[in-house]
Amino acid sequence: MHYASYKTILSPNNNMNLFRGCTHGCIYCDSRSECYQINHPFEDIEVKDNALEILEGQLLRKRKPCMITTGAMTDPYIQLEERLNITRHSLALIEKYGFGVSIQTKSNRILRDLDLLKQINQKTKAVIQMTLTTYDEELCKILEPYVSTTYERYQTLKIFQQEQIPTIVWLSPILPFINDSEENLAGILDYCLKAGVKGIMCFGFGMTLREGNREYFYQKLDRHLPGMKEKYQQAFGNQYVCNSPNNSQLMKQFITFCQKHQIMWRTDDIFGYLKKFEQREQQLKLF
């Protein structure tokens, strides 16, 4: 861990990144790509100095409340958060000033902050976005070794369902030749149905590979799935987008399931929902 100075915490589109780098060890992580210019070892987490003071100042300067998003680049519930509590204190500021929040994570550590998320959701809207890729728990431990397993994430989604906090599942990435089967997809979709998710984000079935994350991914394939790297190289070469050969049938399975159970699946609809700030009726009656 190390600290670095920053002038802002919120991006122009209200995305909040408190850390750079990650320790969850997901073998496919796109954030390792060199294009993001993380100029330190990926597991040596860069913490933004005075993040809470900067965030509070930016929230105060907002003309009106909106949705704050976090988790796209670095999971806000990495192991370090247990000690630093920066994510928790950020949620407290978001609640204090009446903003909404949308959090993307793979960790059940988010349950530590259930009290704050409930308070935000009572005033405005809190949305939990959980990534699910692999129904097989043993395979999950290979692909995503240092974070909650898929079943643990499903249990976390169930708790948010009980608390009436909306959830979205990210169905990505689905790795060609590894977890791109109808059986894997059926297991994940069953979890989504039982957890009452509002929507499932899916950009197609496959993954992306570019300089930085490709090398790390292949290194892990050689260690855990010998021969798989060569299969990728033969099928995709140096392509950025690596689509599953099963993409068409999996998309049909996915869309049919979502339509049957009235789960949002169009990406534009889901992004629109995530960005929409909603003031609860009881709050409006106070003014």
Side-chain angles (χ1 to χ4, degrees):
M1 183 193 81
H2 65 280
Y3 285 88
S5 297
Y6 282 80
K7 293 182 179 180
T8 61
I9 296 298
L10 293 178
S11 71
N13 62 355
N14 301 310
N15 186 51
M16 176 178 74
N17 277 312
L18 301 167
F19 311 106
R20 279 172 66 82
C22 188
T23 49
H24 284 165
C26 303
I27 72 171
Y28 50 72
C29 182
D30 178 70
S31 294
R32 291 181 182 273
S33 300
E34 292 185 4
C35 63
Y36 297 118
Q37 299 180 334
I38 295 180
N39 57 2
H40 55 84
F42 194 70
E43 285 78 15
D44 178 18
I45 304 300
E46 185 169 279
V47 182
K48 298 185 177 183
D49 204 10
N50 299 315
L52 298 173
E53 292 85 350
I54 297 170
L55 173 62
E56 185 168 24
Q58 288 189 273
L59 293 176
L60 285 168
R61 289 192 294 272
K62 294 286 183 184
R63 292 185 177 182
K64 57 183 180 179
C66 60
M67 293 295 290
I68 305 296
T69 62
T70 188
M73 277 292 295
T74 297
D75 196 311
Y77 289 99
I78 54 177
Q79 291 86 335
L80 194 62
E81 169 60 17
E82 292 183 356
R83 176 161 58 90
L84 295 181
N85 288 306
I86 295 177
T87 297
R88 179 169 179 80
H89 293 318
S90 298
L91 289 176
L93 290 172
I94 289 169
E95 191 277 334
K96 177 180 178 180
Y97 294 109
F99 286 75
V101 71
S102 176
I103 301 179
Q104 188 175 349
T105 185
K106 295 177 185 173
S107 176
N108 60 9
R109 291 187 188 91
I110 193 173
L111 293 174
R112 178 203 64 184
D113 297 335
L114 182 59
D115 58 334
L116 287 170
L117 293 166
K118 287 169 64 175
Q119 291 172 35
I120 293 170
N121 198 54
Q122 287 168 1
K123 289 183 177 180
T124 59
K125 183 170 72 179
V127 185
I128 310 306
Q129 302 178 68
M130 189 72 73
T131 301
L132 302 181
T133 65
T134 308
Y135 185 71
D136 185 311
E137 290 287 283
E138 294 307 310
L139 181 59
C140 178
K141 292 173 184 177
I142 293 174
L143 304 182
E144 303 157 340
Y146 307 123
V147 69
S148 304
T149 67
T150 301
Y151 183 69
E152 290 169 339
R153 290 177 231 170
Y154 160 66
Q155 291 178 309
T156 302
L157 289 169
K158 287 287 292 180
I159 291 172
F160 284 112
Q161 178 189 29
Q162 294 165 9
E163 298 294 344
Q164 298 183 319
I165 294 176
T167 56
I168 300 289
V169 159
W170 282 69
L171 194 62
S172 66
I174 302 298
L175 309 180
F177 317 124
I178 297 175
N179 60 348
D180 58 339
S181 68
E182 294 183 15
E183 293 77 16
N184 181 62
L185 178 57
I188 295 172
L189 293 176
D190 184 57
Y191 277 162
C192 291
L193 180 62
K194 290 177 179 177
V197 304
K198 190 172 185 67
I200 305 174
M201 189 79 80
C202 177
F203 298 96
F205 293 86
M207 68 178 303
T208 58
L209 285 174
R210 49 188 165 189
E211 193 171 356
N213 78 314
R214 179 185 287 109
E215 291 78 5
Y216 186 84
F217 179 63
Y218 283 169
Q219 176 188 352
K220 296 301 179 182
L221 289 185
D222 279 342
R223 178 178 178 182
H224 298 289
L225 299 168
M228 187 61 69
K229 177 183 72 176
E230 289 74 20
K231 196 168 185 177
Y232 267 74
Q233 290 173 328
Q234 182 177 2
F236 306 116
N238 289 322
Q239 289 177 210
Y240 169 52
V241 177
C242 306
N243 287 324
S244 165
N246 303 326
N247 180 67
S248 296
Q249 66 200 60
L250 293 177
M251 280 301 299
K252 182 178 180 181
Q253 179 183 352
F254 166 69
I255 294 171
T256 300
F257 180 91
C258 290
Q259 289 178 333
K260 177 181 178 180
H261 298 288
Q262 299 182 316
I263 298 172
M264 277 196 300
W265 62 273
R266 291 185 174 87
T267 55
D268 287 347
D269 291 343
I270 297 174
F271 278 127
Y273 171 74
L274 293 173
K275 292 177 182 178
K276 184 179 179 182
F277 178 78
E278 300 179 19
Q279 194 97 36
R280 301 304 186 202
E281 186 177 352
Q282 64 262 32
Q283 289 300 114
L284 294 175
K285 291 178 180 179
L286 298 176
F287 301 96

